[in-house]
Amino acid sequence: MNFISDNAWGAAPEMLEALGSANAGTALSYGDDALTGRLASEFSRIFERPVAVFPVVSGTAANALALASIAPSHGVIFCHADAHIETDECGAPEFFTQGAKLATIPGRNGKLDPDGIEHMMARFVRGSVHHSQPAAISITQASESGTCYRPEEIAAIADVARRNHLKLHMDGARFANAIAWLGCAPAEASWKAGVDVLSFGATKNGALAAEAVIFFDPADAADFEYRRKRSGHLVSKMRFVSAQLICALEEDRWLDWARRSNAGARALAKGLSEIDGIEIAYPVEANAIFARLPDEMIARLRAQGAQFYDWSASSAGRTLVRLITSHATPQAEIARFLEVARG
Amino acid sequence: MNFISDNAWGAAPEMLEALGSANAGTALSYGDDALTGRLASEFSRIFERPVAVFPVVSGTAANALALASIAPSHGVIFCHADAHIETDECGAPEFFTQGAKLATIPGRNGKLDPDGIEHMMARFVRGSVHHSQPAAISITQASESGTCYRPEEIAAIADVARRNHLKLHMDGARFANAIAWLGCAPAEASWKAGVDVLSFGATKNGALAAEAVIFFDPADAADFEYRRKRSGHLVSKMRFVSAQLICALEEDRWLDWARRSNAGARALAKGLSEIDGIEIAYPVEANAIFARLPDEMIARLRAQGAQFYDWSASSAGRTLVRLITSHATPQAEIARFLEVARG
Amino acid sequence: MNFISDNAWGAAPEMLEALGSANAGTALSYGDDALTGRLASEFSRIFERPVAVFPVVSGTAANALALASIAPSHGVIFCHADAHIETDECGAPEFFTQGAKLATIPGRNGKLDPDGIEHMMARFVRGSVHHSQPAAISITQASESGTCYRPEEIAAIADVARRNHLKLHMDGARFANAIAWLGCAPAEASWKAGVDVLSFGATKNGALAAEAVIFFDPADAADFEYRRKRSGHLVSKMRFVSAQLICALEEDRWLDWARRSNAGARALAKGLSEIDGIEIAYPVEANAIFARLPDEMIARLRAQGAQFYDWSASSAGRTLVRLITSHATPQAEIARFLEVARG
Amino acid sequence: MNFISDNAWGAAPEMLEALGSANAGTALSYGDDALTGRLASEFSRIFERPVAVFPVVSGTAANALALASIAPSHGVIFCHADAHIETDECGAPEFFTQGAKLATIPGRNGKLDPDGIEHMMARFVRGSVHHSQPAAISITQASESGTCYRPEEIAAIADVARRNHLKLHMDGARFANAIAWLGCAPAEASWKAGVDVLSFGATKNGALAAEAVIFFDPADAADFEYRRKRSGHLVSKMRFVSAQLICALEEDRWLDWARRSNAGARALAKGLSEIDGIEIAYPVEANAIFARLPDEMIARLRAQGAQFYDWSASSAGRTLVRLITSHATPQAEIARFLEVARG
């Protein structure tokens, strides 16, 4: 009963097959191979417009490289207080940008809202040399609380960005889960809503290690390839990273896997919500559930082998926990989890 | 007829099998999995002493992270003028170290010698605040010219390092090829000879994307994990990187593959040396051949599909070219190359 | 009627005389001169223990260099939300540290308290590679709100630092004003209370451009001189910076000037507090007054030539303003300000 | 008999008077004062065109900030092997640029020539992501060998820069000495010859601590003010730095002082050249003499109190020494030096 992370699950079988196919013959290294050459057209198809695509092997690399492309050393990047870039990347954005400042903003259900951003932005006086200068906004889709920004919510944030001459970055480590839930075209929840650069995640959704940084305006990517090389993220046998991304996009597997993952979370959340003493903390939209469980129930679950993270200290006999489902989570494990929870 | 790079070849079949095996079940992410947990003992076995091991996905990352662990921002890293860290990493060591200086030194057959290092080191006055301070020496094994440092050559350089309080780094992107040629124990050509930290390469030798940074003194690795995370090199499904390293070490496959690779180069070099008009530039020890070929021979080879890099401009009707063999290079391609070369 | 900043006033006449004296003859450059050589003993006398002293020309340089000496790239520096290092240095600490994170904490009267620090620190899990690691606490003495930390308040914060293996930095741009108000020995409000490194300011207190970074444990200063040189802060004719610091310390001028400055603020605050409609926001301890003034009073004052900063937007007909006095502020200007304020 | 450096001498008396005048009254801090406001027009007058001017307190800061404005993190800066930015700034350019690479080139008489630059530049393949990218050329005027670039020599280098889309920086720590020797308009030896940004030095030529970064194209200065603040180089009482620069420019004092300084070097060189056993190493154009002196003569000079630097190890009984004169070097000291040298 593993609900600890979507990273805890392996790769989809199709991914291993794709690696096998990619392995045939020789290929130019460092991204000059045919598979990498196909990425732009594959992603342009998905996003319904020409895009610049750069594969990397980790979400932290994707985010930090993307942010360094749009925020100078003296820049400010506005993000949610719970954003992965702030809380879980050991300062990678600061390292890649040579010390840009992350200004963190609280927000309901793990999401930023325009007012919160503008309120924080007022602290940094435009043009004052004493202040780091507003440069970018970063939002997470799906959010760290398992919720999704609607296209109109993104557009409202993008409007703040535009009016203040900022770029809008989307950390899409779980972009697939968001699109699967929203049911809209990827374009609707990205560039059409005003996103400038997207970290497109595949690792949590069936791949071994594959993410893509997608620039909707290639001008923002001017120095990207040098930054990527300089930070050790231009892997030599790039065909194996690109093969994973293509595998995910082909036949819309990325959405199938995400739908399966979300369905698991939905089923689990529905079951939990019917159990006395359990409170679901945020709307369950993507593949994460945050719920307050009685401590004795938590103990019982763990005794039966359930794995998941505590997300807070215990309070009044209950603890907030995080449960994550993946494309590979067996329905039987969900059923078993619920059974044990019911006691 | 691909002799362009060992990176141009795919992975050994055993590697794909290893990925398949690693894919079973769930595992903790970010290196807390069982396979990653085995790395220290696997490498300690190979090196006959306890070592600290950190997997990464590129040689540039391995080198830059290793160097940043042993050289401060105001440090000087001494290396050969042709060292990969100087010529082919787009300034990654400078990026990771926040601007340490690479002092490049010429040296015969692609190798540094103690006198050359000491001569260059004299430019940087120890303790003078105006000068960047000598911090590390980096040597490449096998070298960029396809030659190998003998243990006693390494020891002589390590002696310079010790006397000057420097650390000794070895870029072992082709460490396997060097050990296969030297025929000595890995320990003899590393820590026993005075190497402090080794970038151990597997990617060029059968893997998809797997390198290991090996610290012979764990104290040097104190901040390594933070640096790795911060630079985006702690991949979440680390088990797939570790599985490749274990696959290479098990049953000494890494040496088998390297021996096969070296044997190809030896056969090719032998054949070439018997052809009129060809001059082998450096001793062929590992899996690279640098040779001056008549330009019309080069044209003929390329017309027949041979792939390789020019390593200089044409001069007096001949051009220095680089030919690299890999574990997977078919003997038939070597024979065919020689046949075309003979004309 | 200039109450805009203590930086708006020139240097004390003794400072110019000191520069004249320092100008005689030749001297070794880059700090190898006799005046710079005297700094350690002068400051050791003031602080009643051996200290390592490094002169620089700006408070931002002093703070950033001090912090870079005690916080690694992956470190967290805890500071007040209004700390100068966070709000007014354009990200200098992040630049010098290669991207350490400033974690900002609110606190009453511009001061941090132990609970606030521990609460924030809990967000950063010690030893977790995903999190930047707690490294230092920085407090400002006198604070940005014009208040002073009592020695026992410093000691309580230092206790948090010690228990968590952090270093304690003090931004003492107005250390003189704090000591003048506390009436204690400089040692009591610094190292005896647990401060590890102090940015000692002279510029705001009579000098032209002179600050000193003081390490109470020389081990923390191991790389300082390289950092200072590398950042362009080792001025060649250092004797002129050192002469200012010595001038300030000799005959305890720094305390005389600070007492004069504080006395001006006290007189001004007393007068203001007796005027209807004025609210003093924080205890007036050093040389800054934060007060809410009726907007029409503000307009009247400015019409008569009074200079000072608004510190908030107008609310309910009143605006928070900041008034700063200096050693050179004429009593007549204070009297005149009060007269105009009274209307 | 101090010939150790022009930094060893104090400030011109006019400088101290200028500080006294600047000290009157209050002034806005951080460069918003009237004196700083005059800098642009003063320098525009000197250079016969509008320029953007930024005062700083050290030559290292001027150079590093200028270079960071024109070279990205992945850039290459071409400079002479003896350039101050390479040999005497402890890696400041690398620190400010986040690790750009300095490519050093030998050159006759301390000067770069176009062929040497192009030869080195060929190592860095434009557009290849593996290579740091050529970004800037930096020349020193007067050079570290005491020689001066003629306007046509600068133009030839600028032509290389233009053809390769590089910016041209001039380290003018001794720009005054060069102009005094060349006898041309400052414009002729700077922007008219193709210089984009100039580090204009005053410290070595009569000031206490004052340099100016001058951009001939303000577009290059877009981020300069943020970089300066972020690195601690926006001193609060900027009027005192600006006053020094204005003092130097007014009445062309900077050229008078430089002429005096050069005349001293010329007289000293003439005297030395007439002494048996002395060899002048480079043409004496500015205020530095490099000469090989018999070791016993050196011992005799030092025994009589002469101060100067050895510039090489002794060889065949002679040692290369550096002798520097300043605006304040008494003619009597020159005469005395020659007298002792004659023996």
Side-chain angles (χ1 to χ4, degrees), chain C residues 2 4-13 16 19-20 23 25-30 57-58 60-61 64 84 88-97 202-209 225-227 229-237 239-240 307 309 327, chain D residues 2 4-13 16 19-20 23 25-30 57-58 60-61 64 84 88-97 202-209 225-227 229-237 239-240 307 309 327:
Chain C
N2 192 306
I4 209 157
S5 175
D6 27 17
N7 278 334
W9 296 87
L16 292 172
L19 292 183
N23 197 36
T26 60
L28 286 174
S29 49
Y30 297 111
V57 297
S58 79
T60 295
H84 198 267
D88 283 286
E89 301 187 352
C90 199
E94 289 94 335
F95 174 58
F96 280 74
T97 58
T203 310
K204 291 175 192 287
N205 188 36
L208 295 85
E225 295 199 62
Y226 299 107
R227 292 184 190 280
K229 173 69 191 181
R230 227 168 133 63
S231 58
H233 285 290
L234 182 68
V235 301
S236 57
K237 296 181 175 174
R239 55 171 147 167
F240 293 117
Q307 295 178 57
Y309 278 120
H327 65 101
Chain D
N2 193 307
I4 210 158
S5 175
D6 27 17
N7 277 334
W9 296 88
L16 291 171
L19 291 182
N23 197 36
T26 61
L28 286 175
S29 49
Y30 296 113
V57 297
S58 79
T60 295
H84 199 268
D88 282 287
E89 301 188 351
C90 198
E94 289 93 335
F95 174 58
F96 280 74
T97 58
T203 310
K204 291 176 193 286
N205 188 35
L208 295 84
E225 295 199 62
Y226 298 107
R227 291 183 191 279
K229 173 70 189 181
R230 227 169 134 62
S231 57
H233 285 289
L234 182 68
V235 302
S236 57
K237 296 181 176 176
R239 56 170 145 166
F240 293 116
Q307 295 178 56
Y309 278 120
H327 65 100

Side-chain angles (χ1 to χ4, degrees), chain A residues 36-102:
Chain A
T36 305
R38 276 179 54 195
L39 285 181
S41 65
E42 291 290 332
F43 276 97
S44 296
R45 177 177 62 77
I46 298 290
F47 283 101
E48 306 172 45
R49 63 168 287 164
V51 297
V53 185
F54 303 95
V56 293
V57 297
S58 79
T60 295
N63 287 336
L65 284 164
L67 292 170
S69 297
I70 57 176
S73 174
H74 60 276
V76 182
I77 298 160
F78 298 91
C79 65
H80 194 278
D82 295 336
H84 199 268
I85 58 170
E86 165 67 12
T87 66
D88 282 286
E89 301 187 352
C90 198
E94 289 94 334
F95 174 58
F96 280 73
T97 58
Q98 198 187 13
K101 200 178 271 290
L102 269 62

Side-chain angles (χ1 to χ4, degrees), chain B:
Chain B
M1 289 191 287
N2 192 307
F3 297 95
I4 209 158
S5 175
D6 26 17
N7 277 334
W9 295 88
E14 294 90 333
M15 282 285 166
L16 292 170
E17 285 165 31
L19 292 182
S21 304
N23 198 35
T26 59
L28 287 174
S29 48
Y30 297 112
D32 293 331
D33 63 278
L35 284 168
T36 306
R38 275 180 54 196
L39 287 181
S41 64
E42 291 289 333
F43 275 98
S44 296
R45 177 178 60 79
I46 297 290
F47 283 101
E48 306 173 45
R49 63 168 286 164
V51 297
V53 185
F54 303 95
V56 295
V57 297
S58 78
T60 295
N63 287 338
L65 284 164
L67 292 171
S69 298
I70 57 175
S73 174
H74 60 276
V76 182
I77 299 160
F78 298 91
C79 65
H80 194 278
D82 296 336
H84 199 267
I85 58 170
E86 165 67 13
T87 65
D88 283 286
E89 302 188 351
C90 198
E94 289 94 335
F95 174 58
F96 281 73
T97 57
Q98 197 187 16
K101 199 177 273 289
L102 269 62
T104 61
I105 307 165
R108 210 163 150 264
N109 292 337
K111 296 193 283 187
L112 287 179
D113 62 80
D115 286 354
I117 299 169
E118 300 227 55
H119 183 76
M120 174 60 81
M121 203 179 307
R123 291 200 201 169
F124 301 90
V125 179
R126 178 70 69 173
S128 163
V129 76
H130 305 283
H131 294 187
S132 293
Q133 294 291 299
I137 301 170
S138 179
I139 58 177
T140 311
Q141 175 80 313
S143 82
E144 282 77 11
S145 298
T147 54
C148 300
Y149 288 90
R150 276 68 172 164
E152 59 272 23
E153 290 175 321
I154 300 169
I157 290 170
D159 184 56
V160 175
R162 287 302 162 271
R163 278 188 285 106
N164 291 281
H165 311 288
L166 312 187
K167 295 284 180 179
L168 180 56
H169 167 251
M170 178 175 277
D171 175 355
R174 295 190 180 95
F175 184 72
N177 299 285
I179 296 299
W181 186 79
L182 292 168
C184 69
E188 301 295 329
S190 57
W191 65 274
K192 285 189 179 173
V195 173
D196 294 297
V197 53
L198 168 67
S199 301
F200 179 98
T203 310
K204 291 175 193 287
N205 188 35
L208 295 84
E211 313 279 312
V213 182
I214 298 175
F215 289 91
F216 296 109
D217 178 355
D220 292 331
D223 289 341
F224 189 91
E225 296 200 61
Y226 298 107
R227 291 184 191 280
R228 181 174 58 170
K229 173 71 189 180
R230 227 168 133 61
S231 57
H233 285 290
L234 182 69
V235 302
S236 57
K237 295 181 175 176
M238 187 63 91
R239 54 171 147 166
F240 294 117
V241 183
S242 301
Q244 296 175 58
L245 292 167
I246 290 172
C247 172
L249 298 189
E250 276 180 344
E251 303 180 25
D252 281 347
R253 290 186 193 103
W254 67 298
L255 290 176
D256 286 346
W257 292 330
R259 277 185 211 110
R260 213 186 299 161
S261 180
N262 290 359
R266 208 157 45 234
L268 182 56
K270 183 167 182 300
L272 291 174
S273 68
E274 293 163 354
I275 300 175
D276 269 3
I278 290 181
E279 178 199 357
I280 306 289
Y282 308 117
V284 176
E285 299 176 349
N287 64 327
I289 299 166
F290 291 81
R292 281 189 189 77
L293 269 57
D295 291 340
E296 46 80 27
M297 186 188 294
I298 290 172
R300 191 164 67 238
L301 284 159
R302 289 202 167 123
Q304 295 297 319
Q307 296 178 56
F308 51 87
Y309 279 119
D310 287 355
W311 217 248
S312 74
S314 173
S315 169
R318 293 199 304 179
T319 301
L320 183 68
V321 304
R322 188 188 76 166
L323 305 169
I324 303 245
T325 53
S326 93
H327 64 102
T329 309
Q331 292 186 344
E333 292 208 0
I334 293 169
R336 171 85 179 122
F337 188 96
L338 289 171
E339 185 187 314
V340 177
R342 282 185 208 106

